[in-house]
Amino acid sequence: MKFFRSAGAIEAEPSYQPHARRGRLFLLLSVTLWLLIVVGGLSALWGYEGTPGVAAKPPSTWPADSQLQRAADGDTLIMLVHPHCPCSRASIGELAAIMAHCQGRLKAYVLFLKPTGFSDDWEKTDLWRSAASIPGVQTFVDNGGAEARRFHAATSGQTILYGADGRLLFSGGITAARGHSGDNAGRNAIVSLVNAGSAESADTAVFGCPLFDPNSECRKPQDETNNF
Amino acid sequence: MFAVLMAIQWLAGIAAAYWISPRTWAGTASQTHPHVWAALFLGGAISSLPIALALTRPGHASTRYTIAVAQMLFGALLIHLTGGRIETHFHVFGSLAFLSFYRDWRVLIPATFVVAADHFLRGLFWPESVYGVLGASGWRWLEHAGWVLFEDTFLFIAIKRSVSEMWNIAERTAETKRLNAGLEHHVAERTAQLVAANQKLEKEVAERKLAEEQLRQAQKMEAVGKLAGGVAHDFNNLLTVINGQTDLSLRRLSQDDPMYQKLEAIKGAGDQAASLTRQLLAFSRKQVLQPKVLDLNQVIFGTNKILQRLIGEDIDLLIGLGPELGKVKADPNQIEQVLMNLAVNARDAMPHGGKLTIETDNVLVDEEYASHHFSVHPGKYVVLAVSDTGCGMDETTQSHIFDPFFTTKEVGKGTGLGLSTVYGIVKQSGGNIWVYSEVGKGTTFKIYLPCVESHAQEPKIRAADINLQNGTETVLLVEDEKRVRDMTREILQESGYHVLEAEHGQEALLIADRHPGTIHLMLSDVVMPQMSGRELAERLVPLRQEMKVLYMSGYTDDAIVHHGVLDEGMSFIEKPFTPNALARKVREVLDDTLCRV
């Protein structure tokens, strides 16, 4: 005995009666509405992801009042991070990639903002630990955001690169979107600048949480002309 | 299953969002991260329709395609929620494998399309979000879609094989079920056959038991018959002498003689003894029947007065004679005996009165009826039904009523031979007898006698009605028992006959040879040593063709009877006989022109 699969028993819609047509129409409308909602929601999410924060306009030369020690024989990278910004986790990850690609030719500081009045360990988050674990990276607490202000940074993840001579080489973010890991223009530019001395772009959009309160004066980028 | 998995996936997305990015910060201020809301609401929106369709329209292609699209869209959401981690991209490949559980390769098409479209559109409008560079090639989406298609290829093969195996299993299962069903049917069929065979066997066993019971009964009857026959010969000879001599003595005495009463008592006892012997021979079917073609209605009509006297006035006798009743071949005297025995039985069953109904009718016994009743042959029958409204019998009693010496009557009232005599007569006449009885309601005996096509013979004038006629003819008397011979000679001589006397066959032949005159009748015993009466007749009649033959016997073997039925045209008188009976019989035979050996 040979069994065969009866055509349409599983695949076809069961009926073409009027009420079945109404059901199909309802289904079609439901799917359409659903797709609109979902696509709209995803678009909104993408919009949020792709909306950069306030970009810094750091000093064109290493600020003399900075408490950080600039590398005399190489480039120096400063990343300013809000310790509780989940978006900056991707930036830390990209920094690790940069450090790996630069093979010791780069000195990096990650400054974690600590507003006044918060507990001692407020800044010691997983971001701190992640950053501290990257070879060649030094982490510091930026009490009250003093260093951030010196470098005119306003968004977590803001990355600034100075050359050995103290000139500003790069400023921007090292993620392609908010909290998004992966290839991005900023990372490529830094790696290229450190390793080859030049890059296609010297500034990129930065994606992250604001470092300062919305009404803070620090949110407004310094109207200072970069000279790079 | 997919509805549950979609719901779990949604909850997992919320948990992941809350774990990875619970809050977003702006300086010292924070609020719930948009990713958490996206996981909650957008994830819920993505999951809602497929869950609803999976619950309300399971198995529909549209449901599967919707789930496929939703699964890939959820992958896109999860990738965003985890910050585009490369590990989360494996959700896409996992989802394709997950969708392959449908075993429908077509489901992979919309899923692959969603992935390809996502990369194409984002590469077109926002390449950095998917490729990390601003100036990615317009065809780079094909690289991503290619890897998805790569997995699709294997999933397609796996699905086709899975479906093929599934159908093979389904076919095997169906085949197994079909075989099982066939096996069950076969088992049921065989069981039914076994049940039928068992029933047939039980029926055969029951029939065999019945046959064995009947055989045992027949053997018992045969044994009793042999015993009765064995004693009947000598016993009847003795009774012949006792009764005959008593009768002769009574003739010679005045009723005032003191010896008369005593002789009367002896004769009464002798008659009872003779009756008992007759009944013994009757139920053991060893009596000599002289069947005639009868109309049972006439027999009943002729006996109704006797029957009425027999049953008394307390019992109403109702007679229903069937019209155009068929003829039967039976001994009328025996049929009368049957009627009287049944009537006596009915009377005893109705001590306080009742109704005795005698009916006759024609019946046709067909093959089916005959096949279900032992010793019944299909054909036309005349049924004689004798019913009473007496006390009836239970089944145990019914099973023994035809046994000899079985009686429910008190001691001294019944011999236990009445119904066994009836049974013997009926069976000897080729008929059957059935009894139907209910305790407290009554009993019906139905006697079936086979129909014959001949015309009824006119009943001969009863011996009692014949005037005693003496004769002067010569009678050759052959009897080995001297006392019987002497008494018989005396009766014949008293009736005027000239008697030639022989002790056995050889002597009879000698006397016949020497006797110069005519020998009109040979009156011979049947059972004699050396030469039976039949052999003697066969040798003597050719020599004396004018000689008629009358046999007398208390018990006959097959010399002159066949299965108890006297040969046609043969004359016979049963011992013990009275002087008058012998005189009448001799006269009757001498006057009969058709008498043969």
Side-chain angles (χ1 to χ4, degrees):
Chain A
M1 181 178 287
K2 181 69 178 174
F3 290 85
F4 59 91
R5 189 177 184 175
S6 58
I10 297 174
E11 298 306 310
E13 297 296 334
S15 171
Y16 292 95
Q17 299 300 314
H19 67 275
R21 288 181 183 173
R22 283 198 297 274
R24 288 164 63 85
L25 183 62
F26 178 76
L27 176 65
L28 188 64
L29 288 173
S30 299
V31 170
T32 304
L33 182 64
W34 173 70
L35 281 174
L36 287 173
I37 291 172
V38 170
V39 170
L42 284 172
S43 299
L45 185 61
W46 291 339
Y48 170 76
E49 305 281 348
T51 302
V54 176
K57 290 186 177 178
S60 57
T61 58
W62 184 269
D65 55 346
S66 174
Q67 299 297 309
L68 302 173
Q69 290 292 319
R70 179 169 54 84
D73 55 347
D75 298 330
T76 303
L77 182 147
I78 303 108
M79 177 183 284
L80 296 124
V81 175
H82 189 294
H84 291 277
C85 173
C87 319
S88 297
R89 192 172 291 112
S91 299
I92 298 293
E94 293 305 311
L95 176 60
I98 289 170
M99 295 306 289
H101 280 98
C102 294
Q103 296 291 320
R105 286 189 291 273
L106 179 63
K107 184 175 186 178
Y109 297 106
V110 178
L111 304 178
F112 286 88
L113 174 71
K114 183 178 181 183
T116 52
F118 283 80
S119 62
D120 289 345
D121 292 333
W122 184 81
E123 74 283 0
K124 300 293 175 57
T125 62
D126 64 312
L127 290 181
W128 175 286
R129 289 186 289 275
S130 296
S133 66
I134 301 171
V137 172
Q138 289 182 282
T139 55
F140 290 97
V141 178
D142 185 13
N143 286 313
E147 290 294 336
R149 287 191 182 88
R150 286 191 187 100
F151 288 99
H152 303 162
T155 303
S156 181
Q158 178 73 50
T159 305
I160 304 163
L161 181 68
Y162 284 93
D165 56 359
R167 286 189 302 111
L168 179 65
L169 298 178
F170 174 83
S171 175
I174 54 174
T175 60
R178 186 182 283 260
H180 199 89
S181 301
D183 286 346
N184 63 89
R187 186 182 75 187
N188 293 341
I190 291 171
V191 170
S192 180
L193 283 167
V194 172
N195 292 333
S198 65
E200 289 183 359
S201 62
D203 61 339
T204 58
V206 58
F207 300 93
C209 297
L211 287 171
F212 301 103
D213 294 343
N215 298 325
S216 171
E217 288 296 318
C218 298
R219 288 295 308 274
K220 298 174 183 175
Q222 298 295 313
D223 189 16
E224 192 174 317
T225 305
N226 292 327
N227 56 355
F228 55 87
Chain B
M1 179 183 80
F2 284 95
V4 174
L5 289 175
M6 288 295 287
I8 291 172
Q9 184 174 250
W10 177 33
L11 295 175
I14 296 170
Y18 190 79
W19 182 57
I20 295 169
S21 49
R23 301 185 72 77
T24 184
W25 289 75
T28 58
S30 69
Q31 59 183 347
T32 301
H33 199 286
H35 281 184
V36 175
W37 299 122
L40 183 63
F41 294 110
L42 186 55
I46 292 172
S47 304
S48 60
L49 184 64
I51 287 175
L53 291 178
L55 293 176
T56 58
R57 292 164 57 85
H60 284 73
S62 55
T63 300
R64 292 199 295 277
Y65 298 153
T66 304
I67 287 176
V69 171
Q71 187 63 22
M72 306 320 286
L73 290 174
F74 211 97
L77 175 63
L78 280 178
I79 289 170
H80 278 285
L81 295 180
T82 58
R85 291 170 65 84
I86 191 70
E87 292 86 349
T88 315
H89 284 76
F90 289 112
H91 181 272
V92 173
F93 299 103
S95 295
L96 290 171
F98 165 71
L99 293 171
S100 71
F101 285 3
Y102 272 126
R103 295 191 180 94
D104 180 5
W105 59 270
R106 279 161 288 203
V107 172
L108 301 176
I109 295 174
T112 305
F113 175 78
V114 169
V115 174
D118 175 66
H119 283 78
F120 174 74
L121 291 174
R122 295 210 307 186
L124 190 63
F125 298 110
W126 189 17
E128 198 177 8
S129 71
V130 61
Y131 305 130
V133 292
L134 293 170
S137 165
W139 297 101
R140 192 168 172 181
W141 66 275
L142 285 174
E143 180 186 347
H144 289 249
W147 284 110
V148 174
L149 287 171
F150 179 71
E151 185 184 0
D152 285 346
T153 304
F154 294 103
L155 291 176
F156 175 79
I157 295 169
I159 287 170
K160 293 292 282 184
R161 287 187 177 175
S162 175
V163 169
S164 175
E165 287 173 4
M166 188 178 72
W167 278 102
N168 286 337
I169 291 169
E171 284 180 6
R172 284 199 296 271
T173 304
E175 181 70 10
T176 303
K177 284 185 176 178
R178 191 186 66 77
L179 289 172
N180 285 343
L183 189 63
E184 286 172 8
H185 176 73
H186 188 62
V187 168
E189 196 176 10
R190 291 291 298 153
T191 303
Q193 287 175 353
L194 285 172
V195 168
N198 194 40
Q199 287 174 343
K200 187 180 177 186
L201 191 63
E202 286 176 353
K203 187 182 174 187
E204 286 176 358
V205 168
E207 287 175 351
R208 176 165 292 189
K209 281 185 177 176
L210 180 64
E212 286 174 354
E213 180 60 30
Q214 288 171 336
L215 178 63
R216 200 159 39 245
Q217 183 71 10
Q219 288 172 335
K220 188 166 72 179
M221 299 290 274
E222 183 70 22
V224 174
K226 281 185 177 175
L227 178 66
V231 301
H233 179 253
D234 296 333
F235 197 61
N236 280 335
N237 278 342
L238 295 172
L239 285 174
T240 304
V241 176
I242 293 167
N243 291 353
Q245 292 296 358
T246 306
D247 228 358
L248 289 173
S249 300
L250 283 170
R251 284 187 190 180
R252 292 164 190 159
L253 290 175
S254 160
Q255 291 190 1
D256 300 330
D257 193 294
M259 290 301 293
Y260 193 88
Q261 293 298 325
K262 294 178 181 177
L263 287 174
E264 277 278 1
I266 293 171
K267 185 175 184 299
D271 287 344
Q272 279 190 11
S275 173
L276 196 59
T277 313
R278 264 199 308 278
Q279 288 191 77
L280 279 170
L281 288 171
F283 82 74
S284 57
R285 305 173 214 172
K286 297 294 183 184
Q287 66 178 338
V288 178
L289 295 182
Q290 298 182 59
K292 296 178 174 60
V293 177
L294 296 176
D295 183 344
L296 273 186
N297 285 349
Q298 286 185 7
V299 176
I300 294 166
F301 187 74
T303 56
N304 76 87
K305 288 180 181 175
I306 301 171
L307 291 174
Q308 186 65 69
R309 278 201 302 274
L310 203 61
I311 60 178
E313 294 177 352
D314 291 342
I315 297 171
D316 295 330
L317 176 62
L318 305 173
I319 295 177
L321 303 177
E324 299 178 6
L325 195 68
K327 306 297 182 289
V328 298
K329 192 167 186 181
D331 188 325
N333 296 326
Q334 300 302 326
I335 296 298
E336 286 175 4
Q337 185 70 49
V338 166
L339 282 169
M340 285 191 283
N341 283 8
L342 292 176
V344 167
N345 239 48
R347 179 197 65 194
D348 294 342
M350 298 183 288
H352 306 297
K355 288 181 183 174
L356 172 64
T357 306
I358 300 174
E359 297 167 283
T360 56
D361 205 353
N362 295 313
V363 293
L364 180 66
V365 173
D366 57 18
E367 295 276 357
E368 187 182 353
Y369 181 87
S371 67
H372 289 92
H373 291 81
F374 186 76
S375 76
V376 174
H377 303 288
K380 291 179 180 176
Y381 283 79
V382 170
V383 62
L384 167 65
V386 179
S387 309
D388 65 59
T389 55
C391 56
M393 295 175 283
D394 57 26
E395 287 190 3
T396 308
T397 305
Q398 288 179 49
S399 65
H400 292 293
I401 55 171
F402 296 120
D403 289 353
F405 306 113
F406 175 82
T407 179
T408 57
K409 298 171 188 173
E410 57 191 79
V411 177
K413 283 203 76 175
T415 60
L417 291 173
L419 287 176
S420 56
T421 300
V422 169
Y423 186 83
I425 292 170
V426 171
K427 298 303 286 185
Q428 204 173 352
S429 303
N432 289 291
I433 182 166
W434 306 104
V435 60
Y436 309 91
S437 185
E438 282 188 48
V439 175
K441 292 190 175 178
T443 303
T444 296
F445 287 94
K446 285 188 176 180
I447 295 167
Y448 292 82
L449 295 171
C451 273
V452 295
E453 296 300 326
S454 310
H455 293 286
Q457 295 171 354
E458 286 299 321
K460 288 188 176 179
I461 299 169
R462 281 178 170 272
D465 299 333
I466 300 173
N467 293 325
L468 270 176
Q469 290 184 11
N470 297 334
T472 55
E473 292 90 342
T474 300
V475 177
L476 174 59
L477 170 63
V478 188
E479 170 60 62
D480 60 325
E481 177 59 45
K482 183 176 184 305
R483 286 172 294 187
V484 177
R485 189 170 69 244
D486 291 345
M487 191 207 71
T488 307
R489 185 194 66 229
E490 194 174 346
I491 294 169
L492 292 172
Q493 286 176 341
E494 279 199 358
S495 298
Y497 296 103
H498 174 65
V499 179
L500 302 174
E501 191 176 342
E503 187 180 353
H504 45 73
Q506 290 296 337
E507 188 180 0
L509 287 172
L510 193 62
I511 291 171
D513 184 52
R514 290 178 181 171
H515 184 69
T518 303
I519 298 175
H520 298 90
L521 174 72
M522 181 178 77
L523 174 60
S524 173
D525 191 12
V526 176
V527 183
M528 293 184 293
Q530 297 178 0
M531 186 185 297
S532 71
R534 178 69 178 266
E535 288 172 332
L536 173 63
E538 284 175 353
R539 291 179 64 174
L540 202 52
V541 166
L543 302 173
R544 290 183 173 269
Q545 295 188 352
E546 77 287 356
M547 186 183 75
K548 294 177 178 175
V549 179
L550 172 61
Y551 297 104
M552 56 180 176
S553 180
Y555 165 71
T556 64
D557 54 13
D558 284 342
I560 60 168
V561 295
H562 297 285
H563 305 295
V565 177
L566 195 68
D567 290 349
E568 192 74 32
M570 204 165 269
S571 298
F572 176 80
I573 185 167
E574 190 179 21
K575 291 178 184 175
F577 45 75
T578 62
N580 287 343
L582 178 63
R584 277 195 297 270
K585 190 68 183 178
V586 168
R587 189 68 263 159
E588 179 188 319
V589 174
L590 285 169
D591 293 342
D592 191 351
T593 55
L594 298 174
C595 191
R596 52 164 281 199
V597 175

